[in-house]
Amino acid sequence: EAQVTQNPRYLITVTGKKLTVTCSQNMNHEYMSWYRQDPGLGLRQIYYSMNVEVTDKGDVPEGYKVSRKEKRNFPLILESPSPNQTSLYFCASSGTGSLSGANVLTFGAGSRLTVL
Amino acid sequence: GDSVTQMEGPVTLSEEAFLTINCTYTATGYPSLFWYVQYPGEGLQLLLKATKADDKGSNKGFEATYRKETTSFHLEKGSVQVSDSAVYFCALRNRMFSGGYNKLIFGAGTRLAVHP
C-alpha cells in the first residue's frame, strides 16, 4: 500500500530533550515536506525537500532541523524542544511528474507532540 | 502574501442536509485550489481540486467551483451523511512563491458534525 509513515504517533517529552520524528514514504517521491497543525491556524510548512540532499526552510522553521540522506526518509529533528512546539505534525510527499495526480501531496497520519 | 480564509466552525447539520463551507483566497497569479478532509485520528486526504478558473472539482458527492472573479472555492454537498463528519481544509498552491513547487497554503479548517 502506498503510504507515508510517521513515528511516533504520540509523544510527551520535556523541554530541552532532543527528539526525532521519523517520516518514510514508499512511493519513490522526490518531494517531501513537514507541516505543523495548530488550532485556528491550519497547517503551516516547516521544511521541505525537493530531493536527496536538497532541503530548505518553510514558513516556520525556527527550532527544527531536517535531513534527507535517502529518498524515502525525511526526519524532523527538534534539538531542544520548547512548549511552543507542542503541536500536531504531518509529513507529506509527492512526485514531480506532470501527469494528473502525480504531484498531489500524500500525508502521513500525524504525530502529536507535547512538550512540558 | 497568499492566504486562505475559511468560514469558522463547527458546522452542525442533520443527516441529508445541504452543506456549504465557504472558502476565499488571496493570491498572485493563478493558483491551484484544493479541499482536503481530515477524519478523526487520520492524516489529510485530498477530496477534490481545481487548477484553473471555472474548473469544478468533484468527489464523493462534494463539489467546488474555482471562481476567480470572487476569489472563492466553496465546498458543497447536497445531502450529507454521518460519515462526512470531519475537518475540512481549503488550500491553495501557487508556483510563484518559495516553499518548493508543491507547497500548500491552508485555511484554518472547518469542523463538520453530522447527526442522525
Side-chain angles (χ1 to χ4, degrees):
Chain A
E1 180 188 355
Q3 59 186 357
V4 177
T5 303
Q6 298 178 224
N7 281 295
R9 294 288 312 278
Y10 302 91
L11 179 63
I12 299 174
T13 190
V14 295
T15 298
K17 186 176 182 181
K18 180 180 178 180
L19 69 90
T20 298
V21 185
T22 64
C23 173
S24 180
Q25 50 91 6
N26 61 1
M27 296 166 280
N28 200 37
H29 283 165
E30 292 83 8
Y31 182 87
M32 299 186 74
S33 184
W34 277 101
Y35 288 82
R36 59 178 288 173
Q37 181 183 0
D38 300 292
L41 296 177
L43 283 79
R44 294 175 292 167
Q45 189 187 56
I46 304 171
Y47 268 94
Y48 68 96
S49 170
M50 299 292 285
N51 214 322
V52 176
E53 302 292 3
V54 181
T55 64
D56 207 346
K57 298 176 181 178
D59 294 323
V60 288
E62 295 77 19
Y64 305 95
K65 287 174 59 177
V66 293
S67 68
R68 187 89 182 274
K69 296 186 173 68
E70 305 166 287
K71 196 172 187 179
R72 62 184 292 125
N73 296 322
F74 190 45
L76 180 69
I77 303 156
L78 286 73
E79 293 272 0
S80 182
S82 62
N84 64 13
Q85 293 178 296
T86 293
S87 187
L88 180 58
Y89 292 87
F90 288 100
C91 182
S93 72
S94 75
T96 57
S98 59
L99 293 175
S100 176
N103 53 19
V104 171
L105 277 175
T106 299
F107 283 82
S111 297
R112 184 167 295 281
L113 171 64
T114 301
V115 183
L116 301 175
Chain B
D2 292 16
S3 65
V4 175
T5 302
Q6 285 181 240
M7 62 187 290
E8 290 192 21
V11 174
T12 304
L13 295 173
S14 297
E15 206 165 25
E16 299 184 1
F18 184 85
L19 168 71
T20 300
I21 300 179
N22 290 338
C23 171
T24 57
Y25 69 90
T26 301
T28 54
Y30 302 93
S32 296
L33 301 173
F34 303 82
W35 277 101
Y36 277 82
V37 58
Q38 183 181 30
Y39 298 104
E42 299 183 13
L44 280 74
Q45 304 173 24
L46 178 67
L47 182 59
L48 53 85
K49 67 175 182 177
T51 57
K52 61 182 186 297
D54 299 324
D55 268 2
K56 177 186 281 188
S58 61
N59 186 24
K60 299 181 181 179
F62 292 90
E63 293 182 340
T65 301
Y66 188 165
R67 302 282 189 206
K68 191 162 178 65
E69 64 276 14
T70 54
T71 61
S72 65
F73 193 55
H74 305 321
L75 182 67
E76 296 181 336
K77 187 176 185 183
S79 176
V80 294
Q81 306 300 312
V82 172
S83 57
D84 294 326
S85 298
V87 180
Y88 292 81
F89 290 93
C90 185
L92 71 82
R93 182 178 66 204
N94 193 339
R95 299 282 168 85
M96 292 183 65
F97 54 55
S98 63
Y101 76 98
N102 214 359
K103 174 184 178 180
L104 295 178
I105 299 290
F106 285 89
T110 302
R111 183 175 298 278
L112 170 66
V114 180
H115 298 288

